[in-house]
């Protein structure tokens, strides 16, 4: 009598189960909203950063929903955005216990300029902060593609440096790195990287040619001729001395 494999305890064959993806999927942002990020500053203290608007994609409206579930207070902050929001950051750069929400927006143009919007939140009010623009020296070689992140309570900004202008501009391989801090509701900017906008493309890759060995045959030949001539002169002098 044949016994099925499923009924046998010693059967080594196991049925393969289909793989199940348990990774949580990102929530879909539905119209008219275009961007959403939840920032949890502390337990029960939430900030929902959204952008919304129908029609054009280059401009939109900003919406920050603050939910304080402990005190059951809910506030709304609105503003206009030039470009599309790509990310939002939370910090407390002046260490005063009041969080700052920094919002990064990017315009769709040939240079991909980045605009930052900054807000500091208090218990019952919110203050918009003026984020500094790049100075003329900081802007030299700038073509966008910014990378922002928070490090040790400071906002760090990195971007590649380009050489040339217009669509023909090429990356030099160097990067500029800036550090933003906050004091009395004013931003301070410090450049961390050594400025190197004049990187020479030819100096990036240098070809090493093998060292050519100079031939010593000519020198040896000359030396031999000089020695023979010297012997002849010495021999000639000896003969003259012998005749005397």
């Amino acid at each position: 009598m044949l016994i099925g494999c499923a009924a046998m305890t010693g059967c080594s064959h196991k049925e393969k189960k289909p793989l199940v993806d348990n990774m949580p999927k990102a929530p879909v942002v539905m119209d008219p909203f275009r961007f959403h990020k939840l920032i949890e500053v502390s337990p029960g203290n939430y900030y929902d950063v959204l952008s919304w608007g129908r029609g054009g994609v280059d401009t939109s409206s900003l919406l920050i929903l603050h939910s304080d579930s402990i005190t059951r207070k809910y506030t709304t902050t609105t503003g206009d955005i030039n470009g599309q929001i790509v990310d939002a950051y939370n910090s407390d750069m002046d260490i005063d216990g009041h969080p700052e929400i920094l919002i990064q927006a990017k315009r769709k143009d040939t240079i991909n300029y980045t605009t930052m919007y900054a807000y500091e939140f208090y218990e019952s009010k919110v203050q918009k902060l003026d984020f500094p623009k790049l100075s003329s020296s900081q802007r030299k070689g700038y073509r966008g593609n910014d990378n922002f992140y928070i490090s040790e309570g400071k906002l760090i900004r990195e971007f590649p440096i380009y050489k040339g202008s217009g669509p023909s501009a090429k990356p030099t391989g160097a990067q500029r790195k800036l550090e933003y801090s906050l004091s009395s509701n004013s931003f301070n900017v410090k450049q961390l990287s050594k400025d190197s906008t004049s990187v020479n493309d030819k100096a990036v890759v240098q070809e090493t040619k093998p060292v050519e060995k100079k031939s010593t045959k000519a020198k040896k030949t000359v030396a031999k001729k000089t020695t023979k001539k010297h012997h002849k002169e010495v021999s000639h002098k000896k003969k003259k001395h012998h005749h005397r």
Side-chain angles (χ1 to χ4, degrees):
M1 182 177 178
L2 297 176
I3 302 176
C5 182
M8 296 176 61
T9 56
C11 182
S12 60
H13 177 71
K14 293 182 180 179
E15 293 182 0
K16 293 183 178 179
K17 295 182 180 180
L19 297 175
V20 179
D21 188 5
N22 294 323
M23 293 295 293
K25 295 181 179 180
V28 179
V29 182
M30 300 180 66
D31 290 336
F33 299 99
R34 302 173 185 168
F35 174 88
H36 173 241
K37 184 174 182 178
L38 173 62
I39 297 176
E40 185 178 4
V41 174
S42 60
N45 198 4
Y46 303 98
Y47 291 84
D48 285 274
V49 181
L50 304 104
S51 67
W52 64 279
R54 297 185 186 274
V57 295
D58 293 334
T59 58
S60 60
S61 185
L62 169 68
L63 188 63
I64 304 177
L65 303 177
H66 178 206
S67 303
D68 189 346
S69 61
I70 296 176
T71 60
R72 295 188 178 183
K73 291 182 179 179
Y74 305 93
T75 57
T76 303
T77 303
T78 60
D80 294 329
I81 291 290
N82 189 357
Q84 292 182 333
I85 298 179
V86 293
D87 210 343
Y89 312 90
N90 164 50
S91 66
D92 186 9
M93 290 183 280
D94 51 2
I95 318 175
D96 61 352
H98 303 296
E100 299 105 23
I101 302 296
L102 306 162
I103 301 167
Q104 178 187 356
K106 186 174 71 173
R107 283 182 259 175
K108 286 189 174 181
D109 55 18
T110 56
I111 306 180
N112 292 327
Y113 286 125
T114 295
T115 306
M116 295 294 292
Y117 300 88
Y119 297 86
E120 186 166 13
F121 289 84
Y122 300 89
E123 286 78 8
S124 58
K125 66 175 183 177
V126 57
Q127 182 175 357
K128 186 177 181 181
L129 306 175
D130 292 328
F131 195 84
K133 296 181 179 180
L134 295 175
S135 64
S136 57
S137 60
Q138 294 167 352
R139 196 175 185 80
K140 188 176 180 181
Y142 174 75
R143 298 286 294 178
N145 299 317
D146 300 83
N147 177 35
F148 288 88
Y149 58 92
I150 302 295
S151 177
E152 297 180 356
K154 306 292 178 61
L155 179 68
I156 307 299
R157 180 181 193 174
E158 295 178 336
F159 54 84
I161 301 174
Y162 284 74
K163 185 177 182 181
S165 59
S168 60
K170 296 181 179 179
T172 62
Q175 283 208 349
R176 190 166 293 134
K177 188 174 183 179
L178 306 176
E179 179 189 81
Y180 294 87
S181 58
L182 190 65
S183 177
S184 301
N185 294 331
S186 294
F187 282 96
N188 301 313
V189 188
K190 179 182 178 182
Q191 184 164 328
L192 301 180
S193 61
K194 186 177 180 182
D195 204 359
S196 56
T197 56
S198 58
V199 176
N200 192 352
D201 294 337
K202 294 181 180 178
V204 176
V205 179
Q206 294 181 347
E207 294 182 358
T208 56
K209 295 182 179 180
V211 179
E212 295 181 358
K213 294 182 179 180
K214 295 182 179 180
S215 177
T216 57
K217 291 182 180 179
K219 289 185 178 181
K220 289 182 180 179
T221 305
V222 173
K224 287 181 180 179
K225 288 182 178 179
T226 307
T227 306
K228 289 180 180 179
K229 186 177 180 182
H230 177 71
H231 284 304
K232 287 181 180 179
E233 290 178 355
V234 172
S235 177
H236 184 67
K237 286 181 180 181
K238 285 183 178 180
K239 286 180 180 180
K240 284 183 178 182
H241 181 74
H242 178 71
H243 287 302
R244 288 180 183 178

